[in-house]
Amino acid sequence: MKKYLLSIILLLTIALSAQTKDPDKIIDEVKKNFEKINDYQVDVKIKVDVQSLKVPDMIAKIYYKKPDKVTIKSESFALLPKEGMDLSPLSFFKNKYTAIYVKDEQIDGLNTSIIKVIPIENTDDVMLSTMWIDQKNDVIRKVETTTKGNGTIGIHMKYDNTQNKNLPSSVVFSFNVDGLNMPKKMGNNDPDDETTKRMGKSTTGKVYITYTNYIVNKGVDDSVFEKKEK
């Protein structure tokens, strides 16, 4: 009887081991896919839906240059979560981390692998990120991030671009924070202005972003990323 039970346990262990995916390998494939992009610029339309706050719809242009230069240019006030500036999956893995594969799950009719990413160092505000990774296309479809001081942020990405399958066509940010950093002047035209005030009460909301007119790997001048003197 003991031999029979040991055999069953051994078979179950082997079966479970065979079904377990390597999270580091999955993440490495996502990194390799995005590393094909040296730079891009893209037009964005932004719709903000924040509790107790009226913000007009906006248009802007986002610029990216490898490895980590990102800026947004807009003639109107732009409210974006800090995480919304960088579409690079590399931004999630800039510090040391431990990755754990959880299970597979469908999103938008596509099979994804759920990976939990836990930072090892305490140099970042992020405590835990849960990612839904599309292994067929090596892109991140969804992220839920828990932070130390900025609440919880969700990112849901869709990829409908026929020419740029590794860059999203739309992103929805969901956030629930205890205090939201806002520009002191709601009419401020400079999205890089760091003079902010903090709304004290808990704030929930969503930011809807649509991306069009991608220009990829055509070169972006470094001057685009220089901050204007105040």
Side-chain angles (χ1 to χ4, degrees):
M1 185 66 178
K2 286 183 179 181
K3 286 185 178 181
Y4 178 77
L5 289 174
L6 286 171
S7 298
I8 294 295
I9 291 171
L10 181 60
L11 287 171
L12 285 173
T13 302
I14 293 171
L16 288 171
S17 298
Q19 292 176 5
T20 299
K21 295 183 178 181
D22 184 343
D24 293 311
K25 185 176 179 180
I26 294 172
I27 290 171
D28 284 343
E29 291 302 315
V30 172
K31 291 179 182 178
K32 289 178 185 177
N33 186 41
F34 191 82
E35 282 171 355
K36 300 172 186 175
I37 299 173
N38 296 316
D39 56 71
Y40 68 76
Q41 55 182 287
V42 61
D43 295 325
V44 296
K45 292 184 179 179
I46 307 164
K47 180 180 177 62
V48 179
D49 183 9
V50 179
Q51 186 180 11
S52 303
L53 181 66
K54 289 185 178 180
V55 180
D57 293 353
M58 295 158 283
I59 57 173
K61 187 179 286 286
I62 293 177
Y63 298 85
Y64 165 84
K65 188 171 184 178
K66 188 187 285 188
D68 58 4
K69 291 183 178 180
V70 184
T71 191
I72 181 170
K73 305 290 184 182
S74 176
E75 294 182 358
S76 59
F77 163 71
L79 172 64
L80 278 173
K82 184 178 284 187
E83 289 76 4
M85 295 290 289
D86 193 351
L87 297 179
S88 167
L90 305 181
S91 63
F92 295 107
F93 312 114
K94 58 186 177 181
N95 297 321
K96 292 182 179 179
Y97 60 86
T98 296
I100 302 170
Y101 167 75
V102 180
K103 63 177 181 178
D104 279 10
E105 184 174 279
Q106 283 208 339
I107 290 183
D108 300 329
L110 298 166
N111 193 55
T112 64
S113 298
I114 300 179
I115 307 293
K116 289 191 179 292
V117 177
I118 306 167
I120 295 175
E121 301 172 337
N122 292 324
T123 57
D124 205 340
D125 185 48
V126 174
M127 296 175 62
L128 170 70
S129 290
T130 303
M131 303 181 182
W132 285 255
I133 296 178
D134 174 358
Q135 284 189 260
K136 182 179 179 180
N137 297 290
D138 293 321
V139 294
I140 300 173
R141 294 276 172 182
K142 181 180 174 183
V143 182
E144 288 183 356
T145 298
T146 302
T147 67
K148 297 173 185 175
N150 292 313
T152 303
I153 298 172
I155 308 173
H156 192 165
M157 292 165 272
K158 291 190 176 181
Y159 302 80
D160 299 327
N161 301 295
T162 54
Q163 294 180 340
N164 302 292
K165 293 182 179 180
N166 49 357
L167 288 169
S169 56
S170 65
V171 174
V172 179
F173 294 90
S174 305
F175 52 91
N176 184 356
V177 297
D178 293 332
L180 183 65
N181 287 329
M182 299 287 292
K184 290 180 179 178
K185 296 180 180 179
M186 289 297 290
N188 192 348
N189 290 337
D190 186 0
D192 291 326
D193 189 353
E194 295 178 355
T195 57
T196 61
K197 64 179 179 180
R198 192 167 181 84
M199 296 173 65
K201 62 182 180 179
S202 178
T203 304
T204 61
K206 290 185 177 181
V207 179
Y208 302 86
I209 306 178
T210 304
Y211 301 81
T212 56
N213 303 321
Y214 274 105
I215 300 176
V216 181
N217 291 343
K218 298 297 183 181
V220 176
D221 196 273
D222 287 335
S223 62
V224 171
F225 305 98
E226 295 175 359
K227 288 187 177 182
K228 297 178 181 179
E229 294 185 5
K230 307 298 183 202

